[in-house]
Amino acid sequence: MIYLGLFFMSFILTFFIKNYAIRKSLLAKVNERSSHSIPTPHGGGIAIVSTWVIGISYLFLTNQIEANLFYALFIGVLISIVSFFDDLYELSPRLRLIVQSVIAICALYILGGLDTISFGIYNITFNFVTNLFAFLMIIWFINLTNFIDGINGYVGSEFVFLGISGVLLFGNPIFIVLFVSTLGFLFWNWNNAKIFMGDVGSTLLGYNIAIITIYYSNIDVLNFWILITLFGSFWFDATITLIRRMINKEKLSIAHKKHAYQRLVQAGWSHFKVTNYLVLINLCIFMFVYFIPNIYISFILTLFILTVCIKFVDSKKRFK
């Protein structure tokens, strides 16, 4: 019953935030880097954050999640607070990065760091290397999720997928909270979006999946590859785009429209179509993870599928 209540809380909060933003003219500006043509309210992520905090607090108070996971996730709210002000006042990238870095270090301390990175035939256990990797992963997941948040339903559908997948694979109620808190918002953002998530929501979602990945990796090293594979459609696109921009010697701090999903929109695809194809790709990835016993094979197959997808996007709209 609590989860149904959390869903309705996210749903109703998003509705009120949308109406408030319209009254106060808190609309996302349309510019040359936007994938939208109509000014639309933003800040819907506040509903996700609020529902998420209440949900994980309930799980903690009822002893359904461990204290270290709760505290590591809870401090991520500070990232959302900074992101909220960034949505309003466009804070400097340096300030945002400093806050993200401090929170990432604190979270790693609470979790006890990342113990091991396993490659099947070889394990990395040197704490400096594993924790440096974990730190960079947290920062990257926060920011890439923010970068990928650009069209209707795209980020919301990804985290609804991760929530459902997590419940089926791990059974932890933390994934139910992730699912319902995002789903309530997604109703208003799916097609012909009535409100956008904003940095306040996307940064926290990216942070959450990074923390959950580290937590589960410390339980079983193979869990790292399961969660990385499930999140593959996002980090693969963002990482390939970043590498290509570095090769082009572009200034990485400048916003752009070169991610795969953005180029498909530029090629004439609707937001609805692009998001639906993401859902189909994620279903394929889940099938790999769920039905193939060896997670390393699932990971390689996922990389192959995602590489084919990038090549397809290149054929529709060349990366420049």
Side-chain angles (χ1 to χ4, degrees), residues 24-41:
K24 297 296 183 179
S25 298
L26 301 175
L27 307 177
K29 298 177 182 178
V30 177
N31 55 46
E32 68 278 3
R33 289 183 289 271
S34 301
S35 295
H36 295 82
S37 57
I38 301 174
T40 304

Side-chain angles (χ1 to χ4, degrees), residues 43-236:
I46 295 172
I48 297 175
V49 175
S50 302
T51 310
W52 170 257
V53 170
I54 292 174
I56 63 173
S57 297
Y58 167 78
L59 295 180
F60 174 64
L61 293 173
T62 54
N63 298 314
Q64 295 186 63
I65 59 172
E66 293 185 8
N68 63 340
L69 177 59
F70 169 72
Y71 288 120
L73 290 171
F74 187 81
I75 63 172
V77 176
L78 294 175
I79 295 173
S80 286
I81 292 172
V82 172
S83 297
F84 172 75
F85 286 105
D86 182 47
D87 280 337
L88 295 178
Y89 305 113
E90 295 187 7
L91 304 178
S92 73
R94 179 176 297 179
L95 174 61
R96 298 199 307 270
L97 183 60
I98 290 173
V99 173
Q100 292 169 9
S101 298
V102 171
I103 298 302
I105 292 170
C106 291
L108 282 172
Y109 175 78
I110 293 169
L111 291 173
L114 177 62
D115 295 335
T116 305
I117 303 174
S118 176
F119 293 94
I121 59 175
Y122 178 74
N123 293 338
I124 298 176
T125 57
F126 183 38
N127 284 342
F128 176 79
V129 174
T130 58
N131 287 313
L132 177 61
F133 174 85
F135 170 80
L136 294 174
M137 184 181 75
I138 294 171
I139 299 299
W140 184 223
F141 277 21
I142 292 170
N143 289 284
L144 77 84
T145 306
N146 186 26
F147 299 155
I148 295 290
D149 182 25
I151 63 173
N152 302 345
Y154 204 70
V155 169
S157 63
E158 175 72 11
F159 281 85
V160 165
F161 161 73
L162 290 173
I164 295 172
S165 300
V167 171
L168 294 175
L169 293 169
F170 299 104
N172 192 322
I174 198 79
F175 291 103
I176 304 178
V177 176
L178 179 65
F179 166 65
V180 296
S181 60
T182 308
L183 185 63
F185 161 81
L186 185 60
F187 177 88
W188 302 101
N189 180 250
W190 177 254
N191 191 28
N192 296 322
K194 307 299 187 299
I195 187 170
F196 298 154
M197 183 182 298
D199 294 1
V200 63
S202 60
T203 52
L204 181 69
L205 289 174
Y207 172 83
N208 287 343
I209 194 61
I211 296 304
I212 291 171
T213 298
I214 294 167
Y215 171 80
Y216 268 101
S217 297
N218 286 339
I219 295 174
D220 187 330
V221 292
L222 295 182
N223 288 336
F224 171 83
W225 294 101
I226 291 174
L227 289 162
I228 287 292
T229 302
L230 291 172
F231 196 49
S233 55
F234 266 37
W235 67 256
F236 188 83

Side-chain angles (χ1 to χ4, degrees), residues 275-287:
T275 299
N276 283 341
Y277 270 83
L278 170 69
V279 172
L280 290 175
I281 291 168
N282 280 337
L283 285 175
C284 289
I285 293 173
F286 178 79
M287 293 300 178

